[in-house]
Amino acid sequence: MKLAIIGTRGYPYVYGGFETFAKELSERLVKNGVEVHIYCQKNLFDKQPPLVNGIHLHYIPTINTKSLNQIVHSFLSLVHATFSRVDVILVVNLAAGPMGWIPKLTGKKTMINVDGLEWLRPKWKGLGASYFRFAAKMATKLYDLIITDAEAMRDVYLKEFNKDSLVIAYGAPEYKKSAISHLKRFEITANDYYLIVGRLIPDNNADLIVKAYLESDSEKKLVIVGDVPYKDAYAENLKKLAGDRVRFIGYVRDSEELMALYQNCFTYIHGHKFGGTNPAMLKAMSNNCAILALDTSFNKEMLRNGELGLFFKENTESISNGMKKLEKNPEYVEELKAEVSFGLTDKYNWDSVTAAYQLAMHTIYK
């Protein structure tokens, strides 16, 4: 069986969730005897070897702008894969939803992981939002198999587009103890800070969390990991608002340092709104964090409706109340830390995720 993966920035370029997904999935599939081809954005790779760790790499050009980058790259990659010798094409970017007709030219079988609710994200206003909703609808008609990463996302596609999907979750990393000394570089103390991990974009609600924190009387710090890789008014205004009590430490590329930040925080705060199974949340769970999360169907699914975490509504008062409850009940915080990893069932295990994708490949190829 030969599989093409389209829609990530490439391999082994690990930038975000789908790049990690491509790495974890493809390396396991290769060990299972699958021939894997990953399509990479050519401009991101100075060196362009055709084969890395048994994975075939194809470097495809694109237009390096936020609105056209994925659309152009996905289109050119799909054309290339359509006339290649692969058996199945796995697309992991909703921008390619309307392009599902291309592989049909040569009878290629197709799967698409539709990810989150792209058409609701604030960054895609107007035409962008309309395009992504159209893309989601077309994906349900043009691809042989729709994959969602959460039961709650499956429900969305059933309600919005009357289309069922196969649920295959995202995998969680294995727990590995990281040395507390990694905190020294950031000048923070264990158990003395709240942690946010994610891009500084409106749908992750960092601004709401920062405002709630500043309005609270907490003596703990607020540490924010992440940024945006471009000049952005929202991110700049957030940094101006924050003041000295909030620590913006940008991207943390060293995995040991990032794990140390998770493992030693007082509480991880998760404000992501429109995704399904979120990789940052899974990292928080696998690193035994107490979690204060936005009240969404996706977060409830991951945290067992409150058994494994505390929820807040989308307003500053609710967040502040959550912080106060946690700080007044340190025993409850320790209880959450001790139990949260029990939520990481086989559903979130990378080996199980890989087996599910491999079964799906064989099912649609028959």
Side-chain angles (χ1 to χ4, degrees), residues 240-252:
K240 290 177 184 176
L241 165 73
D244 296 336
R245 292 173 62 196
V246 181
R247 299 286 307 280
F248 288 89
I249 60 178
Y251 295 111
V252 177

Side-chain angles (χ1 to χ4, degrees), residues 191-195 209-223 245-246 266-267 269 319-328:
N191 209 43
D192 193 41
Y193 61 94
Y194 290 95
L195 179 67
I209 297 168
V210 168
K211 288 175 184 175
Y213 168 76
L214 294 175
E215 291 171 6
S216 74
D217 56 0
S218 176
E219 294 184 359
K220 297 185 183 296
K221 293 181 174 63
L222 177 61
V223 175
R245 292 173 62 196
V246 181
F266 173 69
T267 298
I269 306 180
I319 299 170
S320 295
N321 288 340
M323 290 178 171
K324 289 175 183 175
K325 179 177 180 178
L326 292 167
E327 292 191 27
K328 288 180 179 179

